[in-house]
């Protein structure tokens, strides 16, 4: 049997764990916005593992258990690094209108927020059963933050302070998991979490990309100082950096469209595919461990592998900075981060 290609690996500063620079985001396997055929989902993940994407991220919320079931069936018996999430429990009984929550083909469960000690422990145990695995490497606290919860976030944050974090720390200290963190779409939630305890890494979706670099001012230096790694999800900003029309899961405003067009112009000048630049840019920052685009089929996987294999000249990154399309303090990739 031939071995899988190897992507460079980056070690988490605080934890005994390293991740490949390219991983697999498992939300689409739960049918995010559109149903995904079970056989195609399984084939996509199996092919990803065979191509060296050994780090896989999932969550109970993705398809209300569907993504975890599909991920576990493919990972079983293989070498892997796996993250899933806590913060929602799945109660039996179908939710009314799951499509409005992003999951038109969800399993018959209702997600309920619970960031308490007991809720965190129950979520961990339930995930192991859904996955059919005896090991999870990373647990992220899912979707805590004001963007998701509004005024209710203060109560959820208190539950995390009073109990959820203690549960995660116990699981880490006893060796049942290797690392703990947050899986969120807002950097402010990560900054708040740094006041609660010691986190190994944050999965930050869509906030440090070719289009958004605000975390350079606060979160990224804070994480470097604390030894907290960053995994970047949503490197394509939900579609607009890969040829789609959506930004942050909605219609892109005019200023974002204009910025994307400016990026495309420089990409054309240097013969660099925009998605390749979007995939590689975040890894220029020393705090970033891995980038995990969400992938739903083998076609998307192959396109991602092609973009990862693209060598981008240093002059391209300099041109973006000179055109004021990158933050002046953004570290630039030194060579291809997906190659040794």
């Amino acid at each position: 049997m031939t071995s899988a290609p190897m992507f460079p690996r980056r070690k988490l500063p605080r934890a005994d764990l390293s991740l490949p620079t390219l991983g697999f985001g498992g939300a689409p396997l739960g049918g995010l916005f559109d149903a995904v055929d079970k056989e195609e989902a399984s084939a996509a993940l199996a092919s990803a593992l065979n191509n060296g994407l050994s780090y896989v991220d999932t969550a109970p919320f993705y398809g209300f258990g569907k993504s975890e079931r599909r991920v576990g069936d493919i990972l079983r018996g293989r070498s892997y690094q796996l993250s899933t999430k806590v913060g929602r429990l799945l109660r039996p009984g179908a939710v009314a209108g799951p499509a409005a929550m992003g999951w038109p083909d969800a399993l018959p469960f209702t997600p309920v927020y619970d960031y308490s000690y007991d809720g965190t422990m129950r979520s961990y145990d339930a995930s192991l059963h859904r996955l059919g695995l005896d090991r999870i490497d990373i647990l992220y606290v899912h979707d805590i933050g004001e963007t998701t919860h509004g005024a209710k976030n203060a109560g959820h944050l208190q539950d995390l302070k009073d109990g959820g974090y203690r549960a995660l720390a116990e699981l880490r200290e006893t060796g049942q998991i290797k690392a703990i963190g947050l899986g969120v779409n807002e950097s402010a939630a990560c900054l708040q979490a740094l006041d609660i305890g010691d986190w190994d890494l944050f999965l930050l979706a869509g906030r440090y990309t070719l289009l958004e670099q605000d975390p350079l001012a606060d979160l990224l230096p804070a994480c470097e100082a604390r030894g907290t790694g960053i995994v970047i999800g949503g490197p394509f900003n939900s579609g607009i950096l890969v040829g789609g029309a959506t930004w942050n899961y909605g219609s892109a405003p005019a200023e974002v469209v204009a910025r994307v067009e400016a990026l495309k112009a420089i990409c054309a000048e240097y013969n660099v595919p925009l998605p390749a630049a979007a995939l590689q840019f975040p890894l220029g920052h020393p705090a970033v461990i891995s980038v995990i685009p969400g992938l739903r089929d083998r076609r998307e996987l192959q396109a991602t592998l092609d973009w990862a294999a693209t060598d981008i000249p240093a002059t391209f990154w300099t041109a973006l900075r000179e055109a004021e399309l990158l933050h002046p303090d953004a570290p630039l990739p030194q060579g291809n981060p997906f190659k040794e």
Side-chain angles (χ1 to χ4, degrees), residues 215-239:
L216 284 167
D218 44 32
L219 179 62
L220 290 173
C223 286
E224 284 190 278
R226 293 284 292 269
T228 301
I230 299 285
V231 171
I232 296 296
F236 305 127
N237 278 114
S238 83

Side-chain angles (χ1 to χ4, degrees), residues 268-279:
E269 180 181 349
Y270 285 85
N271 195 29
V272 171
L274 177 57
L279 203 61

Side-chain angles (χ1 to χ4, degrees), residues 195-238:
D195 293 331
I196 294 176
D198 295 321
W199 305 91
D200 300 296
L201 74 172
F202 294 139
L203 169 51
L204 185 63
R207 299 288 74 80
Y208 188 64
T209 70
L210 277 182
L211 289 175
E212 302 182 48
Q213 292 121 50
D214 289 346
L216 284 167
D218 44 32
L219 179 62
L220 290 173
C223 286
E224 284 190 278
R226 293 284 292 269
T228 301
I230 299 285
V231 171
I232 296 296
F236 305 127
N237 278 114
S238 83

Side-chain angles (χ1 to χ4, degrees), residues 41-108:
S42 298
L45 180 52
S47 181
L49 293 168
N50 291 338
N51 279 281
L53 282 73
S54 61
Y55 170 42
V56 182
D57 175 70
T58 184
F61 184 56
Y62 300 160
F64 305 167
K66 180 169 286 188
S67 177
E68 284 190 322
R69 288 172 64 92
R70 289 175 169 178
V71 165
D73 285 345
I74 299 302
L75 291 187
R76 202 168 302 117
R78 293 176 178 258
S79 175
Y80 64 84
Q81 297 83 48
L82 173 65
S83 58
T84 191
K85 303 180 180 75
V86 300
R88 289 182 178 91
L89 297 173
L90 299 180
R91 292 181 179 171
V95 66
M101 302 175 71
W103 311 103
D105 192 35
L107 294 179

Side-chain angles (χ1 to χ4, degrees), residues 11-256:
K11 187 181 182 303
L12 274 65
R14 297 173 50 87
D16 184 19
L17 183 66
S18 64
L19 302 176
T21 50
L22 184 62
F24 190 103
L29 300 191
L32 180 60
F33 301 131
D34 194 13
V36 177
D37 176 74
K38 178 181 179 181
E39 296 305 317
E40 180 57 37
S42 298
L45 180 52
S47 181
L49 293 168
N50 291 338
N51 279 281
L53 282 73
S54 61
Y55 170 42
V56 182
D57 175 70
T58 184
F61 184 56
Y62 300 160
F64 305 167
K66 180 169 286 188
S67 177
E68 284 190 322
R69 288 172 64 92
R70 289 175 169 178
V71 165
D73 285 345
I74 299 302
L75 291 187
R76 202 168 302 117
R78 293 176 178 258
S79 175
Y80 64 84
Q81 297 83 48
L82 173 65
S83 58
T84 191
K85 303 180 180 75
V86 300
R88 289 182 178 91
L89 297 173
L90 299 180
R91 292 181 179 171
V95 66
M101 302 175 71
W103 311 103
D105 192 35
L107 294 179
F109 294 94
T110 297
V112 179
Y113 292 112
D114 192 331
Y115 296 96
S116 69
Y117 178 93
D118 289 342
T120 298
M121 289 299 196
R122 288 172 59 196
S123 181
Y124 169 65
D125 286 340
S127 285
L128 286 171
H129 283 280
R130 277 190 297 271
L131 289 159
L133 300 172
D134 62 357
R135 173 174 61 83
I136 295 168
D137 297 296
I138 304 165
L139 281 180
Y140 293 120
V141 179
H142 202 188
D143 284 343
I144 198 162
E146 292 185 2
T147 298
T148 300
H149 300 296
K152 294 182 179 179
N153 190 61
H156 291 312
L157 193 62
Q158 194 63 48
D159 287 341
L160 179 62
K161 290 179 179 179
D162 293 342
Y165 178 80
R166 179 164 54 91
L168 292 169
E170 286 181 10
L171 291 170
R172 180 176 59 184
E173 289 165 6
T174 56
Q176 296 178 72
I177 57 176
K178 294 181 179 179
I180 63 173
L182 264 62
V184 294
N185 297 298
E186 52 185 303
S187 58
C190 298
L191 286 166
Q192 287 180 312
L194 288 173
D195 293 331
I196 294 176
D198 295 321
W199 305 91
D200 300 296
L201 74 172
F202 294 139
L203 169 51
L204 185 63
R207 299 288 74 80
Y208 188 64
T209 70
L210 277 182
L211 289 175
E212 302 182 48
Q213 292 121 50
D214 289 346
L216 284 167
D218 44 32
L219 179 62
L220 290 173
C223 286
E224 284 190 278
R226 293 284 292 269
T228 301
I230 299 285
V231 171
I232 296 296
F236 305 127
N237 278 114
S238 83
I240 197 160
L241 289 175
V242 72
T246 57
W247 175 76
N248 290 347
Y249 305 105
S251 298
E255 61 270 20
V256 170

